[in-house]
């Protein structure tokens, strides 16, 4: 019914990063397509970005905050250990006594959240569901040469969407397919602080930089270019669609090269895929609503269009949504 986004005001370019670590604009653009990203400053948080994105989404849906029946907040970077960030957004929006669900499916989080919202709406339990993907990575990154392989890829930001009951088959979620496989959970993770360790964090663990994200980039790349085409094909088969029926694919924005490879593998023309990682980096649970918001603003997605959303991420997780916008 409505979609919104919000990113921090501070722009961090590749040139800015090359002043604080051994990297270069050319290396980052060549390997990932990223030119700049936004990082929080001046008290901006996951909740504050999510609140702004939600306000825009609710307004565009033609609703008031009081009309929302359920809030789902997807993130891998909650503002605090507990409670989940959803209740802070609920408070900021001035919504009283609605359930808030916080979920942790990393880059696939927004699609998992859409799938939960879809079930609640189809069952008739909820009328209007606010789905949020919001991340603040920058306060948890290793901003030094030791962390450069991960740090240059990530940005902060939030996106939100309001879902309601479809009144016809022209504006409807057609399918959601969600997957996970924990076999290689540690190829992309942040180990500390953790209740699995006692103490949860120590000076030794920090000296070994174990509170920063660790990624096996090559393995993650391979996972992405396998699982994203799979998830798209699964949705196409379920809905009896061919590529010709799809108007726009909005893929998770982890790496422009990954998305270009996926498009090539399935024969998707450039005109049917939208990317904006160049400006925002990987904002994890927020990439899909931010990218879809931009595609709508640019007129690349119009009412009634067949849109496929597809993502992969840590866990490992992967998923797709097919919808008529
Ligand atoms: C991270 C990624 C861009 C790295 O590309 P790659 O071609 O695999 O690069 P490598 O890891 O082999 O690194 C190549 C060299 O560049 C160096 N390097 C790594 N990061 C660098 C940086 N930011 N700047 C400059 N050099 C860098 C490495 O140290 C390595 O140097 P070496 O050959 O001397 O050891 C790529 O693997 C990737 O995109 N993977 C998927 C990541 C992803 O999607 N993550 C999010 C999942 S939701």
């Amino acid at each position: 019914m409505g979609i919104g986004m919000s990113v921090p005001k501070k722009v961090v370019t590749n040139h800015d990063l090359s002043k604080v670590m051994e990297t270069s604009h050319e290396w980052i653009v060549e390997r990932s397509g990223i030119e700049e990203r936004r990082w929080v400053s001046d008290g901006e948080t996951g909740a504050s970005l999510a609140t702004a994105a939600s306000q825009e989404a609710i307004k565009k849906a033609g609703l008031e905050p009081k009309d929302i029946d359920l809030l789902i907040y997807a993130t891998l970077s909650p503002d605090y250990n507990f409670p989940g960030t959803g209740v802070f957004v609920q408070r900021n929006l001035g919504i009283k006594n609605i359930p808030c669900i916080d979920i942790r499916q990393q880059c696939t989080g927004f699609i998992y959240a859409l799938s939960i919202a879809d079930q609640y709406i189809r069952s008739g339990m909820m009328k209007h569901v606010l789905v949020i993907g919001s991340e603040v990575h920058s306060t948890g990154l290793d901003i030094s040469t030791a962390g450069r392989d991960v740090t240059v890829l990530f940005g902060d930001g939030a996106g939100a969407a309001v879902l309601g009951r479809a009144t016809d088959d022209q504006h409807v979620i057609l399918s959601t397919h969600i997957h996970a496989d924990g076999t290689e959970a540690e190829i992309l993770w942040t180990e500390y602080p953790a209740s699995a360790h006692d103490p949860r964090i120590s000076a030794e663990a920090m000296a070994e930089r174990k509170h920063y994200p660790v990624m096996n980039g090559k393995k993650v790349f391979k996972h992405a270019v396998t699982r994203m085409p799979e998830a798209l094909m699964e949705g196409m088969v379920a809905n009896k669609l061919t590529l010709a029926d799809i108007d726009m694919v909005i893929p998770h924005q982890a790496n422009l090269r990954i998305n270009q490879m996926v498009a090539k593998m399935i024969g998707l023309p450039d005109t049917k895929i939208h990317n904006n990682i160049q400006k925002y980096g990987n904002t994890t649970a927020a990439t899909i609503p931010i990218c879809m918001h931009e595609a709508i603003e640019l007129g690349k997605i119009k009412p009634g269009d067949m849109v496929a959303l597809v993502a992969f991420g840590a866990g490992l997780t992967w998923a797709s949504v097919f919808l008529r916008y």
Side-chain angles (χ1 to χ4, degrees), residues 58-73:
I58 293 168
K59 195 170 169 210
K60 286 202 168 137
L63 300 176
E64 305 273 337
K66 65 172 172 44
D67 301 319
I68 302 297
D69 305 308
L70 167 67
L71 184 157
I72 309 175
Y73 191 97

Side-chain angles (χ1 to χ4, degrees), residues 159-290:
V162 175
L163 278 78
R165 286 180 194 162
T167 51
D168 58 43
D169 61 4
Q170 290 308 301
H171 310 282
V172 69
I173 288 186
L174 298 168
S175 66
T176 60
H177 289 97
I178 56 176
H179 298 279
D181 178 358
T183 311
E184 293 188 294
E186 292 87 355
I187 67 170
L188 179 52
W189 76 328
T190 302
E191 192 185 348
Y192 282 81
S195 63
H197 300 303
D198 188 6
R200 291 182 179 195
I201 186 79
S202 62
E204 290 77 19
M206 289 184 73
E208 289 172 33
R209 312 179 98 80
K210 287 188 168 170
H211 56 307
Y212 291 127
V214 174
M215 175 177 72
N216 181 327
K218 285 196 164 53
K219 279 195 174 176
V220 175
F221 198 104
K222 209 172 147 201
H223 165 72
V225 297
T226 310
R227 296 308 195 182
M228 290 220 288
E230 243 176 62
L232 283 172
M233 292 300 175
E234 185 180 28
M236 284 166 63
V237 169
N239 294 300
K240 300 187 172 57
L241 301 173
T242 66
L243 280 183
D245 300 314
I246 299 176
D247 295 302
M248 187 55 66
V249 173
I250 303 290
H252 169 50
Q253 304 289 301
N255 185 324
L256 190 61
R257 308 295 163 233
I258 289 174
N259 293 350
Q260 288 168 336
M261 193 179 283
V262 169
K264 202 169 160 197
M265 284 167 80
I266 64 169
L268 190 73
D270 286 352
T271 49
K272 290 194 176 195
I273 184 166
H274 187 61
N275 292 298
N276 64 359
I277 191 172
Q278 299 89 330
K279 290 193 288 187
Y280 302 119
N282 180 351
T283 58
T284 305
T287 64
I288 287 183
I290 289 176

